[in-house]
Amino acid sequence: MKTYSSKFLSAIVSSALTILALIIALLVYHYGQQLLVVIIPVILFFVATYFSILFIIRKYVIDRIKPIYNTIRDLPLSGKKMDEKVLDPNSLLLNVKTEVEEWAKTQLKEIERLKELEKYRKDFVGNVSHELKTPIFNIQGYVLTLLEGGLDDPKINKLYLKRTEKSIDRMVSIVEDLESITKLESGELKLNMTRFDIVKTVEEVIEMEHWQASESKISVQIINKPDRPVYVKADKKRMLEVITNLVVNGIKYGKKTGNVNISFHDLEDNIIVEIADDGIGIEKKDLPRIFERFYRVDKSRSREQGGTGLGLSIVKHIIEAHNQSINVRSVIDKGTTFNFTLEKAK
């Protein structure tokens, strides 16, 4: 809908009234009055009506709109106020419609953002509850069995105590992983940036996970080992965590007698580390969500394999904290490949 300034509206109304007065005056003149006597009252009539109408509009319309407009403009949106603008009172009616529409659009976006955060919060609380429920119920069952007489049975007491310890360890792992993600997201966890050989670090992970790979008869190897050390600038402890998570992931979801291959690719200022398995793969529809907290592609198998469901989320946060990127590609029954970049040390 087209809008007009208060001056323009006042002029239109005054002109209409003046024309009416002029018609009346002409009729009076036609019946014998002098022209000057008619024109002066017409001009005075126009001026009087113009300022009267302008006063009424400002007093009873603009003066009531302006406080509402100022209130809208001062409302905080995501911690910020709308940009301050110097407005001409005479053009307020022209600007207020546009400003209010912009404010409404911003509010709708803010509402959508809050709805998404609320959904994320509910999902997160639900996932944490679900993950903690299993070990808690297990511990409860084992303790009740021991209290009801199992403590005196040498065949049961030691076995159930070990199972209780395992469930407690799982709960501790979940809490520690949640704490790590929270610190990474809030910036509380500061990275200890050092210069180290990424190839040697990968070899350390391969050595640490050798026993797990041997159990599944999976070969973990570097397929294009550089002739000399490749030094990067990163937090070594966190990068050990990243590489361990990805290698263990490849072992868990790889096929028996399969391979987890690690390779390096030079990008001048950066190095790409690629970890690929030839296991079950991930469906295309699941790929965008695998870095979400607690997201599991195959929930039943994932819990059988252990883990908290937070590993890949932690990996992504650590890589992004280094201002680097991580990507994944996968083909069902062919395998999955993760690759991430790191800055080379000068």
Side-chain angles (χ1 to χ4, degrees), residues 139-202:
I139 292 168
Q140 184 183 42
Y142 299 144
V143 171
L144 285 174
T145 301
L146 292 171
L147 290 173
E148 290 172 358
L151 195 61
D152 299 324
D153 188 341
K155 293 181 180 179
I156 293 178
N157 54 19
K158 192 172 182 180
L159 174 65
Y160 275 31
L161 286 172
K162 284 182 177 180
R163 288 180 179 178
T164 301
E165 182 187 26
K166 189 176 179 181
S167 294
I168 292 171
D169 288 342
R170 176 168 172 74
M171 289 177 63
V172 170
S173 295
I174 292 171
V175 172
E176 286 178 347
D177 284 351
L178 283 170
E179 185 180 20
S180 294
I181 291 178
T182 302
K183 286 182 178 180
L184 283 165
E185 285 181 338
S186 63
E188 293 179 21
L189 190 62
K190 302 299 180 184
L191 298 176
N192 180 26
M193 305 296 278
T194 58
R195 181 178 180 269
F196 62 93
D197 181 6
I198 188 64
V199 179
K200 187 177 179 181
T201 303
V202 169

Side-chain angles (χ1 to χ4, degrees), residues 198 201-202 205-206 208-209 212-213 218-221 237-254 259-264 271-279 282 287 290-291 310-320 324-329 335-342:
I198 188 64
T201 303
V202 169
V205 173
I206 293 173
M208 285 189 297
E209 301 305 326
Q212 189 172 349
I218 290 176
S219 170
V220 182
Q221 60 185 340
K237 180 182 176 182
R238 293 296 165 186
M239 293 319 303
L240 269 168
E241 192 174 352
V242 167
I243 297 164
T244 301
N245 260 304
L246 295 177
V247 168
V248 169
N249 218 53
I251 294 170
K252 283 182 179 179
Y253 301 106
N259 299 284
V260 174
N261 296 325
I262 305 167
S263 57
F264 302 92
I271 190 81
I272 294 179
V273 181
E274 191 167 89
I275 300 173
D277 65 63
D278 52 5
I282 303 169
L287 284 176
I290 61 170
F291 292 110
L310 294 166
L312 289 180
S313 183
I314 291 173
V315 165
K316 186 172 186 290
H317 278 86
I318 292 173
I319 296 298
E320 289 181 348
Q324 299 297 323
S325 60
I326 182 168
N327 296 287
V328 59
R329 60 183 187 274
T336 303
T337 300
F338 289 92
N339 62 69
F340 60 90
T341 57
L342 285 176

Side-chain angles (χ1 to χ4, degrees), residues 69 74 97 133 144 156 220 227 270 284 336:
Y69 171 74
D74 290 337
K97 180 175 180 289
K133 184 169 61 176
L144 285 174
I156 293 178
V220 182
D227 298 329
N270 294 301
K284 190 175 181 180
T336 303

Side-chain angles (χ1 to χ4, degrees), residues 285-302:
K285 66 180 179 64
D286 293 313
L287 284 176
R289 299 192 61 191
I290 61 170
F291 292 110
E292 292 180 13
R293 297 177 182 183
F294 298 111
Y295 187 77
R296 300 175 187 269
V297 176
D298 185 344
K299 293 180 174 58
S300 58
R301 181 172 178 183
S302 295

Side-chain angles (χ1 to χ4, degrees), residues 69-132:
Y69 171 74
N70 288 334
T71 301
I72 290 172
R73 190 177 59 187
D74 290 337
L75 283 174
L77 298 174
S78 299
K80 297 180 180 179
K81 290 184 179 181
M82 293 177 69
D83 294 336
E84 295 289 340
K85 296 181 181 178
V86 179
L87 298 175
D88 179 3
N90 295 317
S91 62
L92 185 62
L93 288 175
L94 288 169
N95 291 299
V96 71
K97 180 175 180 289
T98 303
E99 291 287 321
V100 170
E101 285 178 349
E102 289 178 2
W103 175 82
K105 287 178 183 177
T106 309
Q107 284 287 58
L108 286 173
K109 289 180 182 177
E110 182 74 2
I111 290 168
E112 289 300 318
R113 187 182 73 85
L114 292 173
K115 284 181 178 178
E116 288 178 5
L117 287 174
E118 178 65 13
K119 182 179 181 301
Y120 175 79
R121 185 191 67 80
K122 287 179 179 178
D123 290 345
F124 176 68
V125 172
N127 285 328
V128 172
S129 301
H130 185 74
E131 292 295 329
L132 291 175

